Amino acid sequence: ADLFVRKPLRVADIPRLEEAVQRRRRERDALLVERTSGDMEASAVRLQRARRGSLGRAEAARLRAGIQEQIAARSRIPGHLHNALFELGRGTGGGDCLKLAAAGEVQRSSSEEAPRRASGKRWSVFISHYKAEAAMEARWLQGELQERLGGKAFLDSDDLRDLRELQESVRDSEVLVVLQSASVLRRPYVLLELYTAVQAKVPIVGVALTAGEAAFDFDGAGLFLEGLESTLDAANPGSSAVLTKAGVRLADASRVLASTVPHVISI
């Protein structure tokens, strides 16, 4: 940014700018890992003591409070750092605590953390996305929407496997925002979220990635959904089983989604 304050942007400058951004991102990521891993490993040791019953009630309460603070802090770390943090936890006794912290990404808050809104819904917005393509964008969007809407935003995750809880969270949201990336419609959990929203009459808004390898293909989306019975498992083997487990027939999902998702408002 400082470079282009001093002179106009030229096409030849773009690769240099991209390289600088990537370098700063790597430096930032390394710093985040360093700052959080030590706290999490210390909590893991205390957690092991708690499980053996060697903690008093007051100390156990402090431990729970400390872990919740770390969950809140970890939930602000971009998704692509979580695997690195898990690796740091292996062999240190910190694995369980790291997984607990990563649960903050799913935003499965208690009723105290997400009180009922005037609409009667618990969540102001449910954010549906494909983590591998749009984790950072989803995290940023979550923070912005929570600040502007004044309510909790539920962020889905590929790590969430409780289908009933997932569907209930969609129904309990005022609106569903889907981050439209290249492969998002190949993800069975995203399809289930969208299907549930349509069935529950929860409004859907799209936020599209329009540049780079993860850019959303508007033209191909409708065709993919129309042929979902053959295209889904071909693109992502085994995905149809997730919908079947949730009681959704692939033919029904194809019919409902093909007639709605390509027509949602997208920004």
Side-chain angles (χ1 to χ4, degrees), residues 135-156:
M136 186 177 300
E137 291 83 352
R139 183 70 60 200
W140 177 84
L141 189 61
Q142 181 190 32
E144 290 294 309
L145 290 176
Q146 287 185 153
E147 181 177 349
R148 294 173 183 270
L149 297 177
K152 290 287 186 177
F154 187 105
L155 183 61
D156 76 345

Side-chain angles (χ1 to χ4, degrees), residues 160-232:
L160 183 58
R161 292 293 182 263
D162 188 332
L163 299 182
R164 288 179 298 179
E165 181 181 345
L166 184 70
Q167 290 179 280
E168 185 55 38
S169 295
V170 172
R171 298 186 189 103
D172 215 5
S173 300
E174 294 178 340
V175 63
L176 182 144
V177 171
V178 57
L179 268 169
Q180 296 167 305
S181 60
S183 304
V184 68
L185 296 180
R186 301 179 183 182
R187 311 307 299 175
Y189 296 96
V190 171
L191 294 175
L192 180 60
E193 291 158 7
L194 291 169
Y195 179 85
T196 303
V198 174
Q199 295 297 89
K201 295 181 170 55
V202 174
I204 300 174
V205 175
V207 176
L209 304 186
T210 58
E213 295 181 358
F216 185 65
D217 179 8
F218 284 93
D219 294 332
L223 293 174
F224 182 85
L225 293 172
E226 287 175 4
L228 201 61
E229 291 178 89
S230 59
T231 58
L232 181 58

Side-chain angles (χ1 to χ4, degrees), residues 44-55:
V45 173
R46 295 197 298 275
L47 185 63
Q48 293 296 329
R49 290 175 55 202
R51 287 175 173 169
R52 292 195 297 268
S54 58
L55 285 182

Side-chain angles (χ1 to χ4, degrees), residues 109-115:
S109 303
S110 67
S111 58
E112 290 77 20
E113 293 173 316

Side-chain angles (χ1 to χ4, degrees), residues 33-83:
V33 170
E34 180 180 352
R35 286 178 176 175
T36 57
S37 60
D39 289 341
M40 296 307 301
E41 290 171 13
S43 289
V45 173
R46 295 197 298 275
L47 185 63
Q48 293 296 329
R49 290 175 55 202
R51 287 175 173 169
R52 292 195 297 268
S54 58
L55 285 182
R57 181 175 298 179
E59 189 174 356
R62 287 194 297 271
L63 171 62
R64 284 194 298 271
I67 289 177
Q68 289 300 323
E69 290 178 3
Q70 292 168 25
I71 287 175
R74 182 64 53 81
S75 70
R76 294 191 293 270
I77 295 177
H80 67 281
L81 290 184
H82 285 253
N83 289 339

Side-chain angles (χ1 to χ4, degrees), residues 86-151:
F86 286 147
E87 291 298 327
L88 286 172
R90 289 178 180 172
T92 66
D96 290 336
C97 208
L98 287 172
K99 291 176 183 177
L100 177 61
E105 179 184 351
V106 184
Q107 296 296 313
R108 291 186 289 181
S109 303
S110 67
S111 58
E112 290 77 20
E113 293 173 316
R116 294 287 174 185
R117 293 169 60 78
S119 64
K121 299 295 185 73
R122 178 158 289 148
W123 306 100
S124 61
V125 60
F126 184 107
I127 302 173
S128 180
H129 75 299
Y130 177 26
K131 184 177 176 180
E133 294 178 339
M136 186 177 300
E137 291 83 352
R139 183 70 60 200
W140 177 84
L141 189 61
Q142 181 190 32
E144 290 294 309
L145 290 176
Q146 287 185 153
E147 181 177 349
R148 294 173 183 270
L149 297 177

